[in-house]
Amino acid sequence: MEGKKHFRLAVIPGDGIGEEVINEGLRVIDHLSKTSNTFTFESDYFPWGCEYYLENGKMMDEDGLDKIKNHDAIYFGAVGYPSVPDHISLWGLRLAICQGLDQWANIRPVEFLPGIEGKLNHPNKEELNWILVRENTEGEYSGIGGRNFTGRGPGKEVAVQSSVFTEEGCERVIRHAFNLAMERKRKKVTSVTKSNAQQYGMVLWDEVFEKVSKDYPEVETDKWLVDAMAARFVSHPEELEVVVASNLHADILSDLGSALAGSLGIAPSANLHLDGRFPSMFESVHGSAPDIAGKGIANPIGTIGSAALMLDHLGLTEEAQLINDAIRATTRNGILTADIGGNNTSKEVTDSIISHVSKRYSTV
């Protein structure tokens, strides 16, 4: 044990296929911990989600944040089920954690993996990769508003949903995007807003972006409105490196990017708290997919890729890269689930990834 790093993970499988893909991800982490001999980990499971809600009237324990805030990281499956309204499941668990633990940067890489037929007609698809940096605790998902005025009579109700942009919130996520760009071969950050129509919050965003960019003279910048940016994802993806946007816009654009790459099932993400007070949370971009739950065919790549993001965040950079290399080797060899054109099971995909991890250590 001497010299090894030890980590405590809070594991929240959630709903639908969440438990299935989380278990596959943990298999990879467990195998890597034993073969690399550089780290150990333990997992504390929390049975929160829609079934918990149906039994208890809440998505998580009242003191749930206190129970997970001292872990090294949170590994999250998926949330959502038809019998529970989406706004209840989302706000009661995932957003409660992201906002409650100030996980203010959501990182969503977009990569075109070998062997997967993407939905993009581009001559060099496998060379495309970019990162979406999403503001994760305010903006359009601030949760401020309400429904009222029902006394006006039938059909007269009014709903108000307000976005909140703070200078501090904009600056920290934009600055993080620039820092990520500094680590890439091509140093470029693209800011996405809708400031022509949303003239207060998003104009503030534009002004902060301009201010922060002056601290990074070596980084190329450009700015696009979100509708034009959606078109550029399809028409000029080679121009993308690091894209930073508000909560809603980056949420939508990241799903577009993952779909173009082949499937939401391959897309990892990280909800980062970078100030040292709380753990970060790692999850695949896809939902709970209750229609295929229990069939053993859910794509585990997004969740396993999220484990790589988690290990990298915990300082295990080489181990994270090894997982990513094993994922690419697996897809290149045609070991694919149905959502990306294959007929392999979740377990078979994970077994292949583990096999490639083992090959790496058998050669050293």
Side-chain angles (χ1 to χ4, degrees):
M1 293 289 292
E2 186 176 355
K4 292 184 180 180
K5 297 179 180 180
H6 182 73
F7 302 105
R8 287 182 63 219
L9 307 182
V11 179
I12 307 173
D15 307 311
I17 63 171
E19 183 172 2
E20 299 171 42
V21 293
I22 279 288
N23 287 340
E24 299 302 323
L26 288 171
R27 281 212 294 138
V28 174
I29 298 172
D30 182 60
H31 181 81
L32 184 57
S33 72
K34 293 173 180 176
T35 53
S36 71
N37 206 36
T38 58
F39 73 99
T40 59
F41 74 100
E42 59 183 297
S43 300
D44 296 324
Y45 281 80
F46 297 91
W48 302 330
C50 289
E51 286 189 22
Y52 185 88
Y53 174 83
L54 292 173
E55 293 177 4
N56 300 279
K58 52 192 174 185
M59 290 293 294
M60 63 188 297
D61 293 343
E62 293 289 349
D63 61 346
L65 294 182
D66 287 334
K67 289 180 176 178
I68 62 177
K69 70 180 183 180
N70 293 317
H71 285 75
D72 294 296
I74 304 163
Y75 200 28
F76 190 88
V79 62
Y81 212 72
S83 56
V84 178
D86 288 342
H87 67 278
I88 290 176
S89 60
L90 181 62
W91 277 99
L93 188 55
R94 185 193 173 278
L95 289 182
I97 294 172
C98 290
Q99 294 190 356
L101 298 183
D102 197 25
Q103 296 167 348
W104 47 266
N106 179 232
I107 308 302
R108 295 187 171 187
V110 176
E111 183 175 359
F112 289 72
L113 295 172
I116 296 177
E117 184 178 353
K119 305 301 189 292
L120 192 63
N121 183 18
H122 192 278
N124 301 306
K125 283 188 288 189
E126 289 187 19
E127 296 180 9
L128 299 175
N129 71 85
W130 63 89
I131 300 175
L132 264 293
V133 181
R134 170 188 176 188
E135 198 292 313
N136 208 37
T137 57
E138 52 180 55
E140 302 90 345
Y141 294 180
S142 298
I144 295 176
R147 296 173 60 176
N148 211 326
F149 305 115
T150 53
R152 294 185 177 189
K156 301 292 187 181
E157 185 175 3
V158 175
V160 175
Q161 190 82 42
S162 297
S163 300
V164 174
F165 292 86
T166 66
E167 184 174 0
E168 180 183 23
C170 294
E171 178 166 348
R172 64 182 180 178
V173 74
I174 290 170
R175 192 170 294 279
H176 186 63
F178 274 90
N179 289 335
L180 287 176
M182 291 292 292
E183 300 172 1
R184 295 174 70 86
K185 184 176 180 180
R186 182 185 183 188
K187 298 172 174 55
K188 180 182 178 181
V189 178
T190 298
S191 175
V192 180
T193 67
K194 190 63 178 171
S195 51
N196 59 340
Q198 295 177 297
Q199 72 272 43
Y200 302 122
M202 292 201 165
V203 169
L204 173 63
W205 177 288
D206 287 343
E207 292 171 354
V208 173
F209 182 80
E210 185 67 25
K211 180 183 73 173
V212 172
S213 69
K214 294 178 181 178
D215 294 336
Y216 299 84
E218 57 271 81
V219 177
E220 178 187 354
T221 63
D222 60 357
K223 299 186 293 183
W224 290 85
L225 299 176
V226 65
D227 41 357
M229 191 75 250
R232 289 188 72 79
F233 265 46
V234 177
S235 60
H236 295 287
E238 70 280 355
E239 290 296 317
L240 306 175
E241 289 291 335
V242 177
V243 179
V244 62
S246 66
N247 216 327
L248 174 63
H249 292 165
D251 189 7
I252 295 170
L253 289 173
S254 64
D255 280 12
L256 172 59
S258 301
L260 292 173
S263 170
L264 266 66
I266 63 175
S269 77
N271 302 288
L272 300 180
H273 172 82
L274 296 168
D275 302 335
R277 293 175 293 128
F278 302 121
S280 298
M281 181 166 67
F282 302 84
E283 58 173 334
S284 54
V285 171
H286 66 71
S288 58
D291 56 320
I292 62 169
K295 297 181 180 180
I297 61 173
N299 193 335
I301 288 178
T303 303
I304 295 171
S306 299
L309 291 174
M310 179 167 64
L311 294 184
D312 185 62
H313 178 72
L314 294 173
L316 300 170
T317 304
E318 292 183 6
E319 291 80 359
Q321 186 61 50
L322 182 57
I323 292 178
N324 288 325
D325 290 344
I327 290 173
R328 283 190 285 270
T330 292
T331 60
R332 185 180 294 111
N333 290 339
I335 309 300
L336 311 171
T337 47
D339 61 308
I340 47 178
N343 56 14
N344 293 101
T345 65
S346 312
K347 181 179 183 302
E348 288 169 343
V349 171
T350 306
D351 286 345
S352 176
I353 292 171
I354 288 174
S355 173
H356 286 288
V357 169
S358 296
K359 289 177 183 177
R360 160 65 174 80
Y361 285 102
S362 66
T363 60
V364 296

